[in-house]
């Protein structure tokens, strides 16, 4: 494939399940939090490469609705890291015209994180470069439930009838819908660490996504490996149910 063809087939939206920080920490004899810190550094590099490659939307799964089951120490540490990351990177993200959005019930996360998220959203709100979405306190089922409730309330108020409900209406009521400027469904979902499952990530949106799995643990996942996976995707034929 030549360069032009590659650009034309470049996925518009790549989503990443950043998994394996804990195993990386164990393998390297450091604390789980050091693993999450190394994961943040890896994420920084992937954002930069996605931008250089001309990917329009990058979504990362940072914290699931199920991750609250972890120890208080680990959960608190993850949010502290997030605050630290936003604090140190926001200026550069903004200078690079990156727009930050959050998918999930993020107003329920610790207060310091909510404050730094609000700042990031506001600072980057007019940027039209890379659209960087962080799935935070995100759960696919919870997102669908939230959409169902929104639509039900429109039905019960009499605004629309049951048979007026469409797939588009459901898409629009998700976190990736109207509240975040209608993010297209992911073309490609990458999961690191060798696990081959979605763990409640983008359940409605993944209907026709290509899936790619790598054994690399997230902190070891390099921009070059990311680029190779995306280029391999560009060579795949997507059929969307047609023949
Ligand atoms: C992913 O790494 C980061 C989060 C889920 C927050 P893990 O912490 O799940 O790493 P493993 O799966 O234990 O190796
Ligand atoms: C999925 O990873 C969530 C994130 C990467 C944020 P988990 O490590 O939480 O998922 P499971 O427990 O392996 O399914
Ligand atoms: Mg994990």
């Amino acid at each position: 494939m030549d360069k032009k063809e590659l650009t034309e087939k470049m996925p518009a939206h790549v989503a990443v399940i950043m998994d394996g920080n804990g195993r990386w920490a164990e393998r390297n004899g450091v604390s789980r939090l050091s693993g999450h810190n190394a994961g943040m550094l890896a994420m920084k590099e992937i954002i930069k490469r996605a931008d250089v490659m001309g990917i329009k939307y990058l979504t990362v799964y940072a914290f699931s609705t199920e991750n609250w089951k972890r120890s208080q120490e680990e959960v608190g540490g993850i949010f502290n890291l997030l605050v630290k990351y936003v604090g140190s990177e926001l200026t550069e993200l903004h200078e690079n015209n990156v727009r930050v959005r959050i998918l999930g019930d993020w107003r329920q996360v610790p207060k310091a994180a909510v404050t730094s998220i609000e700042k990031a959203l506001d600072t980057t709100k007019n940027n039209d470069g890379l659209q960087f979405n962080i799935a935070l306190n995100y759960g696919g089922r919870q997102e669908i439930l939230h959409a169902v409730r929104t639509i039900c309330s429109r039905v019960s108020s009499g605004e629309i009838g049951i048979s007026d409900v469409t797939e588009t209406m459901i898409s629009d009521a998700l976190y990736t819908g109207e509240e975040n400027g209608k993010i297209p469904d992911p073309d490609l979902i990458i999961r690191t660490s060798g696990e081959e499952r979605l763990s409640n990530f983008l359940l409605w949106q993944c209907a026709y996504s290509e899936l790619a799995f790598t054994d690399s643990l997230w902190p070891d996942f390099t921009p070059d490996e990311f680029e190779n996976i995306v280029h391999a995707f560009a060579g795949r034929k997507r059929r969307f149910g047609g023949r």
Side-chain angles (χ1 to χ4, degrees):
M1 229 181 300
D2 63 23
K3 208 159 178 198
K4 185 170 166 278
E5 260 181 295
L6 212 53
T7 316
E8 280 166 2
K9 287 187 175 157
M10 187 68 83
H13 184 179
V14 178
V16 185
I17 303 173
M18 310 187 290
D19 196 18
N21 295 349
R23 276 161 285 169
W24 182 91
E26 204 172 308
R27 233 169 258 183
N28 289 279
V30 297
S31 67
R32 286 188 69 87
L33 267 185
S34 302
H36 293 307
N37 192 45
M40 284 286 180
L41 300 178
M43 185 179 81
K44 261 167 66 173
E45 299 307 316
I46 299 302
I47 298 170
K48 280 190 209 150
R49 183 65 64 92
D51 196 12
V52 169
M53 288 169 71
I55 290 167
K56 189 70 197 164
Y57 298 86
L58 175 71
T59 301
V60 299
Y61 201 5
F63 193 87
S64 76
T65 45
E66 287 69 42
N67 289 148
W68 295 105
K69 293 180 204 154
R70 299 186 181 200
S71 74
Q72 233 181 5
E73 188 195 352
E74 181 173 354
V75 169
I78 289 172
F79 286 107
N80 286 342
L81 275 174
L82 181 85
V83 173
K84 194 177 110 187
Y85 168 78
V86 173
S88 66
E89 300 306 311
L90 184 56
T91 307
E92 192 179 330
L93 290 170
H94 185 43
E95 278 168 7
N96 289 323
N97 198 22
V98 174
R99 174 155 191 179
V100 180
R101 296 188 192 261
I102 308 288
L103 310 178
D105 199 3
W106 60 272
R107 285 182 186 80
Q108 303 308 316
V109 307
K111 181 125 198 327
V114 171
T115 308
S116 71
I117 287 167
E118 280 168 342
K119 186 168 171 212
L121 298 182
D122 191 57
T123 307
T124 65
K125 66 173 185 248
N126 295 318
N127 294 349
D128 60 4
L130 175 71
Q131 304 290 298
F132 175 54
N133 312 306
I134 306 174
L136 191 73
N137 194 14
Y138 173 90
R141 288 186 172 178
Q142 188 221 41
E143 177 183 40
I144 292 169
L145 173 64
H146 163 83
V148 167
R149 286 187 173 150
T150 305
I151 294 166
C152 284
S153 75
R154 293 177 65 189
V155 171
S156 73
S157 73
E159 182 199 336
I160 52 171
I162 289 174
S163 57
D164 296 329
V165 178
T166 60
E167 285 190 14
T168 307
M169 219 177 262
I170 297 172
S171 291
D172 287 350
L174 299 172
Y175 296 129
T176 46
E178 276 167 349
E179 69 179 85
N180 279 306
K182 298 198 190 184
I183 298 166
D185 290 343
D187 302 293
L188 171 65
I189 298 178
I190 301 171
R191 182 168 187 153
T192 59
S193 90
E195 309 295 350
E196 301 192 351
R197 57 177 171 268
L198 288 170
S199 299
N200 208 11
F201 190 44
L202 302 177
L203 295 184
W204 173 273
Q205 299 88 333
C206 75
Y208 280 103
S209 304
E210 296 285 332
L211 306 177
F213 301 101
T214 166
D215 287 337
S216 301
L217 299 174
W218 176 253
D220 290 331
F221 188 64
T222 62
D224 285 348
E225 188 178 1
F226 176 76
E227 189 163 335
N228 287 338
I229 291 174
V230 172
H231 284 172
F233 158 87
R236 292 193 199 173
K237 272 203 177 59
R238 299 172 78 199
R239 283 186 284 269
F240 298 100
R243 41 173 294 185

